Coordinates of all heavy atoms in Angstrom, one line a residue:
P1 N 101.5 70.3 122.6 CA 101.7 69.1 123.5 C 102.5 68.0 122.8 O 102.3 67.8 121.6 CB 100.3 68.7 123.8 CG 99.4 69.9 123.5 CD 100.0 70.6 122.4
P2 N 103.4 67.4 123.5 CA 104.3 66.4 122.9 C 103.5 65.1 122.6 O 102.9 64.5 123.5 CB 105.4 66.2 123.9 CG 104.8 66.6 125.2 CD 103.8 67.6 124.9
L3 N 103.7 64.6 121.5 CA 103.1 63.3 121.0 C 104.2 62.4 120.6 O 104.9 62.7 119.6 CB 102.1 63.5 119.9 CG 101.5 62.2 119.3 CD1 100.8 61.3 120.3 CD2 100.5 62.6 118.2
V4 N 104.4 61.3 121.3 CA 105.5 60.4 121.0 C 105.0 59.2 120.3 O 104.0 58.5 120.7 CB 106.3 60.0 122.3 CG1 107.4 58.9 121.9 CG2 106.9 61.2 122.9
L5 N 105.6 58.8 119.1 CA 105.1 57.7 118.3 C 106.1 56.5 118.4 O 107.3 56.8 118.1 CB 104.9 58.1 116.9 CG 104.0 59.3 116.6 CD1 103.8 59.6 115.1 CD2 102.6 59.1 117.2
I6 N 105.7 55.3 118.6 CA 106.5 54.1 118.6 C 106.0 53.2 117.5 O 104.9 52.6 117.6 CB 106.5 53.4 120.0 CG1 106.9 54.5 121.1 CG2 107.5 52.3 120.0 CD1 108.2 55.0 121.1
H7 N 106.8 52.9 116.5 CA 106.4 52.1 115.4 C 106.3 50.6 115.7 O 106.8 50.2 116.6 CB 107.3 52.4 114.2 CG 108.7 52.0 114.4 ND1 109.2 50.7 114.4 CD2 109.8 52.7 114.8 CE1 110.5 50.6 114.6 NE2 110.9 51.8 114.9
G8 N 105.8 49.9 114.7 CA 105.7 48.5 114.8 C 107.0 47.8 114.5 O 107.9 48.5 113.8
M9 N 107.2 46.6 114.8 CA 108.5 45.9 114.6 C 108.7 45.6 113.1 O 107.7 45.4 112.4 CB 108.5 44.6 115.4 CG 109.9 44.0 115.5 SD 109.9 42.7 116.8 CE 111.6 42.2 116.7
T10 N 109.9 45.7 112.7 CA 110.4 45.4 111.3 C 109.9 46.5 110.4 O 109.9 46.2 109.1 CB 110.0 44.0 110.8 OG1 108.6 43.9 110.6 CG2 110.5 42.9 111.8
V11 N 109.6 47.6 110.8 CA 109.4 48.8 110.0 C 110.2 50.0 110.6 O 111.2 49.7 111.3 CB 107.9 49.2 109.8 CG1 107.2 48.2 108.9 CG2 107.2 49.3 111.1
S12 N 109.8 51.1 110.5 CA 110.5 52.3 111.1 C 109.4 53.4 111.3 O 108.3 53.3 110.9 CB 111.6 52.8 110.2 OG 111.1 53.5 109.1
S13 N 109.9 54.6 111.7 CA 109.0 55.7 111.9 C 108.3 56.2 110.7 O 107.3 56.9 110.8 CB 109.8 56.9 112.6 OG 110.2 56.6 113.9
T14 N 108.9 55.9 109.5 CA 108.2 56.2 108.3 C 106.8 55.5 108.1 O 106.0 55.9 107.2 CB 109.0 56.0 107.0 OG1 109.4 54.6 107.1 CG2 110.2 57.0 107.1
M15 N 106.5 54.5 108.9 CA 105.2 53.9 108.9 C 104.0 55.0 109.3 O 102.9 54.7 108.9 CB 105.0 52.8 109.8 CG 105.1 53.0 111.3 SD 104.2 51.9 112.4 CE 102.5 52.4 112.1
W16 N 104.5 56.1 109.9 CA 103.5 57.1 110.3 C 103.2 58.1 109.2 O 102.6 59.2 109.5 CB 104.0 57.8 111.5 CG 104.3 56.9 112.7 CD1 105.5 56.6 113.2 CD2 103.3 56.2 113.5 NE1 105.4 55.8 114.3 CE2 104.0 55.5 114.5 CE3 101.9 56.1 113.5 CZ2 103.4 54.7 115.5 CZ3 101.3 55.3 114.4 CH2 102.0 54.6 115.4
F17 N 103.6 57.8 107.9 CA 103.4 58.8 106.8 C 102.0 59.2 106.6 O 101.7 60.3 106.2 CB 104.0 58.2 105.5 CG 103.1 57.1 104.9 CD1 102.2 57.5 103.9 CD2 103.1 55.8 105.4 CE1 101.3 56.5 103.3 CE2 102.2 54.9 104.8 CZ 101.4 55.2 103.7
A18 N 101.1 58.3 107.0 CA 99.6 58.6 106.8 C 99.0 59.3 108.0 O 97.9 59.7 107.9 CB 98.9 57.3 106.5
N19 N 99.8 59.4 109.0 CA 99.2 60.0 110.3 C 99.9 61.2 110.8 O 99.2 62.2 111.3 CB 99.3 58.9 111.4 CG 99.0 57.5 110.9 OD1 99.8 56.7 110.8 ND2 97.7 57.3 110.6
A20 N 101.2 61.3 110.7 CA 101.9 62.5 111.2 C 101.5 63.8 110.6 O 101.4 64.8 111.4 CB 103.4 62.3 111.1
P21 N 101.2 63.9 109.3 CA 100.8 65.2 108.8 C 99.5 65.7 109.4 O 99.4 66.9 109.7 CB 100.5 64.9 107.3 CG 101.4 63.7 107.0 CD 101.4 62.9 108.2
E22 N 98.6 64.8 109.9 CA 97.4 65.2 110.6 C 97.7 65.6 112.0 O 97.3 66.6 112.5 CB 96.3 64.1 110.4 CG 95.1 64.4 111.3 CD 94.3 65.6 110.9 OE1 94.3 66.1 109.8 OE2 93.6 66.2 111.9
W23 N 98.3 64.6 112.7 CA 98.6 64.8 114.1 C 99.5 66.0 114.4 O 99.3 66.6 115.5 CB 99.1 63.5 114.7 CG 98.2 62.4 114.7 CD1 96.8 62.4 114.6 CD2 98.5 61.0 114.8 NE1 96.3 61.2 114.6 CE2 97.3 60.2 114.7 CE3 99.7 60.3 114.9 CZ2 97.2 58.9 114.7 CZ3 99.6 58.9 114.9 CH2 98.4 58.2 114.8
S24 N 100.4 66.3 113.5 CA 101.3 67.4 113.8 C 100.7 68.8 113.7 O 101.3 69.8 113.9 CB 102.5 67.3 112.9 OG 102.1 67.4 111.5
Q25 N 99.4 68.8 113.2 CA 98.7 70.0 113.3 C 98.3 70.4 114.7 O 98.1 71.6 114.9 CB 97.4 70.0 112.4 CG 97.7 69.8 110.9 CD 96.5 69.8 110.1 OE1 95.5 70.5 110.3 NE2 96.5 68.9 109.0
H26 N 98.2 69.5 115.5 CA 97.8 69.7 116.9 C 98.9 69.4 118.0 O 98.7 69.8 119.1 CB 96.6 68.8 117.3 CG 95.5 68.9 116.3 ND1 94.6 69.9 116.2 CD2 95.1 68.1 115.2 CE1 93.7 69.7 115.1 NE2 94.1 68.6 114.6
F27 N 99.9 68.6 117.6 CA 100.9 68.2 118.6 C 102.3 68.4 118.0 O 102.5 68.5 116.7 CB 100.7 66.7 118.9 CG 99.3 66.3 119.3 CD1 98.4 65.8 118.4 CD2 99.0 66.5 120.6 CE1 97.1 65.5 118.9 CE2 97.7 66.2 121.1 CZ 96.8 65.6 120.2
R28 N 103.3 68.5 118.9 CA 104.7 68.4 118.5 C 105.0 66.9 118.5 O 104.9 66.2 119.5 CB 105.5 69.1 119.6 CG 107.0 69.1 119.3 CD 107.4 70.0 118.1 NE 108.8 70.2 118.1 CZ 109.4 70.8 117.1 NH1 108.7 71.2 116.0 NH2 110.7 71.0 117.1
V29 N 105.2 66.4 117.3 CA 105.3 64.9 117.1 C 106.8 64.5 117.2 O 107.7 65.1 116.5 CB 104.7 64.5 115.8 CG1 105.0 63.0 115.5 CG2 103.2 64.7 115.8
F30 N 107.0 63.4 117.9 CA 108.4 62.9 118.1 C 108.3 61.3 117.7 O 107.7 60.5 118.4 CB 108.9 62.9 119.4 CG 109.0 64.3 120.0 CD1 108.0 65.0 120.5 CD2 110.2 65.0 119.9 CE1 108.1 66.3 120.9 CE2 110.4 66.4 120.3 CZ 109.3 67.0 120.9
A31 N 108.7 61.0 116.5 CA 108.6 59.6 116.0 C 109.9 59.0 116.1 O 110.9 59.3 115.6 CB 108.2 59.6 114.5
I32 N 110.0 58.0 117.0 CA 111.2 57.4 117.4 C 111.5 56.0 116.7 O 110.6 55.2 116.7 CB 111.2 57.1 119.0 CG1 111.0 58.4 119.8 CG2 112.5 56.4 119.5 CD1 110.8 58.2 121.2
D33 N 112.6 55.9 116.1 CA 113.0 54.6 115.6 C 113.5 53.7 116.6 O 114.5 54.0 117.3 CB 114.1 54.8 114.5 CG 113.7 55.2 113.2 OD1 112.4 55.3 112.9 OD2 114.5 55.4 112.3
I34 N 112.8 52.6 116.9 CA 113.2 51.7 118.0 C 114.6 51.2 117.8 O 114.9 50.7 116.7 CB 112.2 50.5 118.0 CG1 110.8 51.0 118.3 CG2 112.7 49.5 119.1 CD1 109.7 49.9 118.2
I35 N 115.4 51.3 118.7 CA 116.8 50.8 118.6 C 116.9 49.3 118.5 O 116.2 48.6 119.2 CB 117.7 51.4 119.8 CG1 119.2 51.5 119.3 CG2 117.5 50.6 121.0 CD1 120.0 52.4 120.2

């Protein structure tokens, strides 16, 4: 199942470094860099 991640302001998708390894075991993860 698709899981879309939207990071906090003044960072980027790499803020999910502590979470994506776990969540991607169950989901197709799409971490989007806010334009």
Side-chain angles (χ1 to χ4, degrees):
L3 172 59
V4 175
L5 307 180
I6 309 292
H7 62 80
M9 195 169 180
T10 70
V11 287
S12 75
S13 290
T14 53
M15 69 153 281
W16 304 111
F17 76 97
N19 319 110
E22 171 62 29
W23 294 339
S24 62
Q25 294 181 38
H26 309 282
F27 305 98
R28 181 71 164 171
V29 172
F30 300 84
I32 300 174
D33 278 355
I34 299 170
I35 205 156

